[in-house]
Amino acid sequence: GYLGQAAYLMENHADAGQSFFSSVPSGAFWPTFLIANIAALIASRAMTTATFSCIKQSTALGCFPRLKIIHTSRKFMGQIYIPVINWFLLALSLVLVCTISSIDEIGNAYGNEFISIYF
C-alpha cells in the first residue's frame, strides 16, 4: 500500500493530504474503504490483546500490581480480559483524540508528515 501511494504521489504532488483515497481508482473505492476499516478493527483488537498479554505477564513476574484477570475461555488458554486496562485504554484514547486540535496532527502522528515534507 505504501509503495502504491508513493508512486501515486510522485506524479500527483498536490494530493499529499489524501494520498490513500486519492490513489484508489474510483471503481474500487468502496471495497478498499471496507477493507481498510476491517484492517483498522483487526489492528485495534491486536493492540488490546497484546496489552492484556503484556500486563498479565508483568503481573506474573511481579513487575505490575495485581489486577482482576478474567479468563474468557475454559477451552483455550490465554484468552483473557482485564477490565481495568480496558477502561484505561479507552480513557487514554479519548484524551489523545480530544487533545489533538486538527486532523492534520493525527496524520502527522501516523506518519504523513514525512510524505508531506518529502514531496
Side-chain angles (χ1 to χ4, degrees):
Y2 292 125
L3 290 175
Q5 290 175 41
Y8 177 80
L9 285 174
M10 289 176 72
E11 297 293 324
N12 304 298
H13 301 297
D15 290 338
Q18 292 288 329
S19 63
F20 177 74
F21 291 112
S22 297
S23 65
V24 175
S26 61
F29 177 79
W30 289 111
T32 303
F33 182 78
L34 179 68
I35 290 171
N37 280 309
I38 291 170
L41 289 171
I42 291 170
S44 171
R45 181 66 182 142
M47 188 210 62
T48 305
T49 302
T51 303
F52 289 166
S53 179
C54 288
I55 296 297
K56 182 178 186 272
Q57 291 174 14
S58 297
T59 302
L61 292 171
C63 300
F64 202 83
R66 291 186 170 268
L67 298 172
K68 180 180 179 181
I69 297 175
I70 300 170
H71 295 270
T72 59
S73 175
R74 292 177 189 236
K75 191 174 185 180
F76 300 106
M77 187 175 167
Q79 292 186 357
I80 59 171
Y81 172 69
I82 306 173
V84 172
I85 299 299
N86 197 47
W87 284 105
F88 175 75
L89 290 173
L90 171 70
L92 186 66
S93 298
L94 289 175
V95 166
L96 181 70
V97 169
C98 291
T99 57
I100 294 178
S101 61
S102 72
I103 194 84
D104 292 331
E105 290 183 23
I106 293 175
N108 293 342
Y110 182 69
N112 289 344
E113 181 66 26
F114 171 74
I115 293 172
S116 299
I117 291 172
Y118 185 72
F119 293 105

